[in-house]
Amino acid sequence: MSGNDLSIVLTWWLWILGITALFLPFTTHIFRTFSDRGYIFAKTIGIIFISYAMFLFGTLHILQFDRITLFVILSLPLVFYFWILTRKKGFKKNLFSYINELLRYKRIFFVEEMLFLFALLFLSYIRAFAPDIHGLEKYMDYGFMNSIGRATYFPPKDMWLPPESINYYYFGHLVTAVLTKLSSIPASYTYNLMLATVFGLCVVSSFSLGGNLFSYFKGDKTFFSKRGIATAILAALLLSLGGNLHTLYTTFKPYENEKPVPPWQLEFSPVTFPNAYWYPNATRFIHNTIHEFPIYSWTVSDLHGHVLDIPFVLLTLGVLLALFQLSHSPKPKVGHSSYFGLLKSPALMSFYVLTGFLLAIMYMTNAWDGIIYFLLSIFVILTAHAHNLSRKGLLLSPHNFLQIIKNNTGYMKTIFSAVLLVGGSYFLFVQPFNYFFKPFVSGVGVLCAPDFLTKIGKFGPLLFEANHCQHSPLWQLLILYGFFYFFVCSFLIFLFKCTRVKKSDYFVLILIFLASLLILIPEFIYAKDIYPAHYRANTMFKLVFQSFMLLSICSGYIIVRILGSVKENFQKFTTTIKVLLLLYGGVSLLLVFSVMTYPYMAINSYYGELKNYIGIDGTRYLKTSRPSDYLLISWLNAHIQGQPVILEAQGDSYTDYSRISSNTGIPTVLGWTVHEWLWRGSYDIPSPRIGDISLLYESNDLQITHDLLKKYKVEYVVIGDLEREKYPNLYEKKFSVLGSIVYERDGARLYRITQ
């Protein structure tokens, strides 16, 4: 890594480290049952708090989005801590007592911080071989970042349909803009730095979850045991870098892209390994669907909501695990005689409020995740409270669970009040976002609906569409998820033979149940959007992405749980059982190796085998591909404040059109049409602007041009290579009449409209 890039990455890391230190007291209190006190989650909690506070102040027009406001927000935790410490006598004693308590965990704090720094540097270095904020949907993500960065208040303007605000789940992009403004590092760098940060948080958060699951299993707070570290490492590797069993195709003659054939019909061809393997096929294996996983997202590096939400998801899993542990503690005394029993347990109440807050954050970042983890929260609450009432302790069977519900009306009252508190907190925290947001899902489609229902067409939110019958072949599901379910099935058999199921096992079973449900749902229903042939693609994408994450953590735990038990009892088994167990261990090792080969092939393919180091500036490519645009964009970013409307060439999604608005955050009359169609729910909203933009560039009628410029409140007009290509009859002279040139270089001109 070059000296300049390293300096920028370290500056970025130091800012995040400062946030970590600031929010560590709060975090260690929440995760007091964790063997590492939840150290790594202090980063995520701090980033969320700062960003949400800025979002709330900006939405209510209380404070402007600038560095001064951010520093005011950063001072709030210090004021709170000072108030807490001075409430009791002996300020110095309380402070030193707290510091001494933290010093007990200095070893694990240091390990996790260094692991985060290593992961941050690792992906920053990888990105430096192909850092371009260009291709796929990067223009969309970068445009959101830049538009938010220019905003004074919220919601931010849609850079592709002014004067409308962004109608998308943009909170993760707002987080990126907050860190950009706080660190004063250019956005062209922080796009890639944020991707590396999410990767680093993913690695260390999953590491923490794996290690704490194992220490919960052991019933102590020892993180640094061999098996605890093994669980932590496996969970981190599988979630952050693991692929699926599609890598088995590397040893076969390749099939035509997006037309997979069963493995038994392929021709064995080891000489093709690994160059013939096309890594995106692992995410487009089932016809007309998408089933991504984190390493693919790191590779193609779109800074989408599902990527930005990964740290928030893992934080929520950590909170739910801590809640699960706390609910088994003898200290919280939850009343079961009334709906207000939770008032007797402030500790549990605070967890429920925090869970509702995190659900709101996830919804604002990637809406599906808010729904998914609301379900998980209910499952955790149901199971945790049932454990406390179970006369058989941890041997909680479905029959026993039903008996608890039947015989304890107080149990249902407690569950109701807990879910109500979580839901109420979510509703409260999400309102500032929902007030300006219009969902663009138009209903829930039912797959393979019978003919009599397709004639009805719609019943409430349910849609019954003809010729909408897609199911995933079982062999394809096994290729995608067979790795995980090999261990899930092993785990179920293992638990069936166990004399005592551990508390941690129940938590893992809850995650497995939800993950399996998310894989099954797209086989029956889909959320209706604008895509005709790929009607269940987004539904499957958003659901199974979370399944992959949940099953990765579970698999890391299961592997160590089973193999550790086998090792302890190996001498007690018969020779036949020993052979079978050794075979099981060999198959497990082979499967782990298979899924861990994916990053090698994907990264080498996308990043040109890491041969050409470029740097982490994501807009540097414009210097050679579109040099005149690069200079114009640089000038606009340096000289134009706020968000006046500009006019630039308009074109299809996934193209270079809308390059000025994306790279500056200055809104243009219309950007990528299909994206606006999706966000607005109707093609009729963006489509009239296409013809108007053509008239603005090509009409020789000054009055028509003047009226259209006034209609869209255009203040600047761009004339560059793309405008000349898109509009062959471009009539440029009129802009000299309606305004004047404020920038001209290498064929690119910028007119400021004055009439």
Side-chain angles (χ1 to χ4, degrees), residues 270-301:
V271 295
T272 64
F273 179 85
N275 294 328
Y277 182 72
W278 181 230
Y279 70 93
N281 283 340
T283 68
R284 306 294 190 275
F285 192 56
I286 298 173
H287 183 61
N288 280 351
T289 66
I290 305 171
H291 33 80
E292 292 186 14
F293 39 86
I295 179 58
Y296 178 82
S297 300
W298 315 133
T299 302
V300 299
S301 59

Side-chain angles (χ1 to χ4, degrees), residues 304-552:
H304 273 7
H306 70 279
V307 174
L308 290 161
D309 205 35
I310 289 174
F312 309 154
V313 165
L314 294 174
L315 170 61
T316 303
L317 288 175
V319 168
L320 290 176
L321 177 58
L323 171 61
F324 198 74
Q325 292 173 322
L326 184 67
S327 64
H328 294 133
S329 170
K331 292 182 180 179
K333 296 179 180 179
V334 183
H336 296 279
S337 60
S338 73
Y339 291 107
F340 302 100
L342 281 177
L343 294 175
K344 298 180 181 180
S345 179
L348 284 176
M349 282 186 63
S350 62
F351 268 94
Y352 294 141
V353 172
L354 177 60
T355 301
F357 172 68
L358 293 177
L359 292 175
I361 294 296
M362 286 189 288
Y363 178 83
M364 295 188 295
T365 307
N366 192 43
W368 276 102
D369 296 350
I371 301 168
I372 291 168
Y373 290 97
F374 182 73
L375 276 178
L376 181 61
S377 302
I378 293 174
F379 295 157
V380 168
I381 292 168
L382 283 170
T383 308
H385 285 286
H387 273 311
N388 287 338
L389 292 175
S390 175
R391 293 181 180 179
K392 297 182 180 180
L394 292 173
L395 296 177
L396 184 65
S397 65
H399 173 73
N400 194 18
F401 183 77
L402 291 174
Q403 287 298 112
I404 289 171
I405 296 175
K406 182 179 178 181
N407 299 329
N408 294 274
T409 56
Y411 166 76
M412 293 309 298
K413 291 179 179 179
T414 300
I415 296 302
F416 178 80
S417 57
V419 173
L420 188 64
L421 189 55
V422 171
S425 301
Y426 159 79
F427 181 81
L428 177 66
F429 288 117
V430 85
Q431 279 313 296
F433 176 84
N434 267 349
Y435 184 81
F436 299 98
F437 176 74
K438 180 182 178 182
F440 37 83
V441 171
S442 57
V444 178
V446 178
L447 288 167
C448 304
D451 291 341
F452 76 93
L453 287 177
T454 59
K455 292 178 181 177
I456 297 174
K458 185 176 182 180
F459 181 76
L462 297 178
L463 303 174
F464 308 104
E465 299 181 288
N467 302 316
H468 279 56
C469 188
Q470 293 179 0
H471 287 305
S472 307
L474 180 60
W475 66 271
Q476 290 185 322
L477 290 174
L478 287 173
I479 291 290
L480 297 179
Y481 310 111
F483 169 83
F484 295 124
Y485 283 94
F486 172 81
F487 295 110
V488 167
C489 292
S490 303
F491 187 53
L492 295 176
I493 295 169
F494 173 79
L495 292 182
F496 182 75
K497 297 291 184 179
C498 268
T499 56
R500 186 172 178 80
V501 180
K502 296 286 189 176
K503 299 174 184 177
S504 54
D505 295 333
Y506 278 109
F507 188 80
V508 170
L509 286 173
I510 295 170
L511 300 188
I512 291 171
F513 175 75
L514 178 62
S516 303
L517 186 64
L518 297 179
I519 293 171
L520 289 174
I521 285 174
E523 304 301 319
F524 297 95
I525 60 174
Y526 59 93
K528 176 67 175 176
D529 53 31
I530 66 171
Y531 301 109
H534 298 75
Y535 45 84
R536 69 178 185 137
N538 273 325
T539 303
M540 180 178 288
F541 172 26
K542 297 301 176 68
L543 297 186
V544 301
F545 193 88
Q546 298 306 313
S547 291
F548 189 99
M549 293 177 62
L550 295 173
L551 291 171
S552 295

